[in-house]
Amino acid sequence: MPAKPAPIKKSAKKAAAKEEKPAEPVPETVPAEVPPVPETVPTEAAAVEAPAEEAAAEPALAAEAPAPEAAAPAEAAPVEEPPKPPTPPPPAVPASAPQNLSLDDINDTSVTLKWRSPENIGSGLDGYIVEYCKEGSAEWVAANTELTTSNRFVISGLTTGDLLNIRVVAMNAGGRSEPVALPQPVPVREIMDRPKIRMPRALRSRHVKHVGEQINLVIPFCGKPKPVISWTKDGQPLDTKKINIRNSDKDSILFIRKAERDDSGSYEMTVKIDSFEDKATLIIQIVALPGPPASVKLVDSWGFNAALEWTSPKDNGNTEITGYTIQKADKKTGDWFTVFEHFHRLNATVTDLVMGNVYTFRVFAENKVGKSETAAVTKAAAHIQKTGIVYKPPEYKEHDFSEAPKFTALLNDRAATVGYNTKLLCAVRGSPKPKIEWLKNQMLIGDDPKYRQINNQGVCSLEIRKPSSFDGGVYTCRAKNSLGEATVACRLEVKQVTIQEEKVK
């Protein structure tokens, strides 16, 4: 009976290739297993051709297979030190009271609050408790069952019409802080529109008016129900005798019929609905002309120059001084001439003075309204001394320019058209100035409105307005003075416009 074939083992090369694969590591704790017999049975020839080294490789594979991990020797346990006693915790300190509690919103069933964190949180800050009680009651009710960490809280589920006192307490390990409460009880009701002042852009900066001008400022606002409106000036109530306030549902009017310097100041308007309010500040400045400089003096004069100094005016007109005007006058004529205008310094040197003259100076103050009505005048005068040879002007005999009237340009005959203005011109001379008269057909015209008589520097004209055929005739211009008289005449013909001429026109 033939013997069973021995199991065929893999070659040493295949076994080595299997060991080199890194993707399939063999766990150390798992003992080596004999590789399974492949499904394809090799032929006897392949078994015969296997070299004798395979038999020798078998014990080598068995040797390379990992053996079960031996138990590690037990290590010596470290000696533990005894625990130190724990440091006792510091005593818990409560926080300070929350800050700046205020109303953020309100309606018929809820109240919204906001506040700032405490200045000192003590042993930490766990949260806040919001409490309220009805007016007249001493029982405080917590609005939140759990601590809230937010600085804003809504108390809901309230009854319309209740009047509530509200406070907020900060909590930590040290317990409750001092409470912060609203200064006034809060009525639970619907507010349709919070009060708001809508200050016009032109009034957001300083409002400047001159003394005597009228002030009529309209400042709109909104809010429902109608807000309560109040005005103050520099923190004090208004003087209703001088300042009128007219309020409506939508705006407030500040009216001053005639502004005075005392009306300058800071005006504050307040609109208030219950505990909600809005404020706006309006600065009004009433300005006037400044007073003159306090004093002006002549410091020195040399050559053709004079040095002046002055001090600022005591009254600046309730606005800043923008400059000064310096004028001079010589003693001979007494006429004032401007030397400097819009001058900013408090001293000046006047130059180009005329030799031999005596000058007086004055200074005006200026602001945005204008120049002061009066000026400060120097008490001393500046004497500009003559130098060198004294000039003696020659004496001339005064010429007598007296002359009887004489026409230098005569009247010319003219032809005019009915309905079109015409003018007669001539020129005359004489000293003293002659009196001019116009005549028509030897009849004095006088102040007839149909005629316009003009005498300008000896040129005489007579304008006839819309002449008719009856205005034709001889016109005479007569000039006379104390030395005599002269006449000149011309003929005026007034023509009727024909139908052909009208068509041409």
Side-chain angles (χ1 to χ4, degrees), residues 48-313:
V48 173
E49 290 177 0
E53 285 83 4
E54 290 184 357
E58 184 175 357
L61 289 173
E64 289 178 2
E69 199 175 89
E75 296 181 0
V79 179
E80 295 183 357
E81 296 181 0
K84 295 181 181 180
T87 304
V93 179
S96 61
Q99 306 179 82
N100 300 343
L101 177 63
S102 62
L103 277 176
D104 192 35
D105 195 10
I106 186 172
N107 57 30
D108 55 350
T109 59
S110 67
V111 174
T112 304
L113 308 169
K114 63 178 181 180
W115 61 88
R116 292 179 59 188
S117 302
E119 184 178 359
N120 182 12
I121 62 173
S123 300
L125 183 62
D126 296 337
Y128 303 94
I129 295 178
V130 180
E131 299 176 336
Y132 66 90
C133 76
K134 295 183 178 180
E135 181 71 11
S137 173
E139 181 182 357
W140 289 91
V141 179
N144 51 330
T145 56
E146 297 181 357
L147 295 180
T148 177
T149 57
S150 174
N151 286 22
R152 189 175 183 273
F153 188 79
V154 180
I155 306 176
S156 57
L158 301 177
T159 304
T160 303
D162 285 350
L163 197 61
L164 302 180
N165 293 306
I166 303 175
R167 68 184 183 184
V168 178
V169 179
M171 298 292 295
N172 65 3
R176 293 167 59 94
S177 69
E178 291 292 328
V180 58
L182 290 176
Q184 297 177 353
V186 179
V188 181
R189 68 173 186 176
E190 178 70 21
I191 294 182
M192 301 300 295
D193 190 6
R194 297 180 65 174
K196 179 68 177 177
I197 299 175
R198 304 188 182 280
M199 180 67 73
R201 185 180 299 274
L203 301 180
R204 294 177 188 174
S205 57
R206 188 180 301 270
H207 187 67
V208 180
K209 284 286 187 180
H210 294 177
V211 170
E213 290 185 343
Q214 187 182 93
I215 298 177
N216 189 18
L217 304 179
V218 180
I219 303 177
F221 61 85
C222 60
K224 291 182 182 180
K226 181 182 178 181
V228 177
I229 304 164
S230 59
W231 283 86
T232 60
K233 177 193 172 187
D234 298 328
Q236 301 297 325
L238 297 182
D239 183 3
T240 56
K241 295 181 180 179
K242 298 174 59 178
I243 305 172
N244 295 325
I245 301 296
R246 304 170 188 172
N247 298 323
S248 67
D249 294 339
K250 296 181 180 180
D251 54 44
S252 180
I253 301 175
L254 184 145
F255 179 77
I256 303 175
R257 187 174 300 279
K258 191 175 181 181
E260 299 177 0
R261 293 270 292 274
D262 296 340
D263 296 327
S264 301
S266 176
Y267 292 77
E268 186 178 70
M269 174 184 173
T270 304
V271 292
K272 186 174 182 180
I273 301 177
D274 295 335
S275 56
F276 295 100
E277 66 179 15
D278 191 21
K279 296 183 178 181
T281 302
L282 174 64
I283 298 176
I284 297 178
Q285 182 179 3
I286 309 301
V287 297
L289 291 174
S295 64
V296 59
K297 64 178 180 178
L298 177 67
V299 179
D300 191 13
S301 63
W302 70 99
F304 305 103
N305 309 307
L308 305 174
E309 284 185 357
W310 59 90
T311 55
S312 302

Side-chain angles (χ1 to χ4, degrees), residues 9-10 29 63 80 98 131 135 143 180 182 204 221 236 249 287 308 338 387 433 441 453 470 478 486 492 500 502:
K9 299 178 181 179
K10 291 184 179 180
T29 56
E80 295 183 357
E131 299 176 336
E135 181 71 11
V180 58
L182 290 176
R204 294 177 188 174
F221 61 85
Q236 301 297 325
D249 294 339
V287 297
L308 305 174
T338 299
T387 58
K433 184 179 178 181
N441 297 330
Q453 305 175 36
F470 299 100
R478 182 168 62 192
L492 176 66
Q500 293 181 353
E502 290 183 353

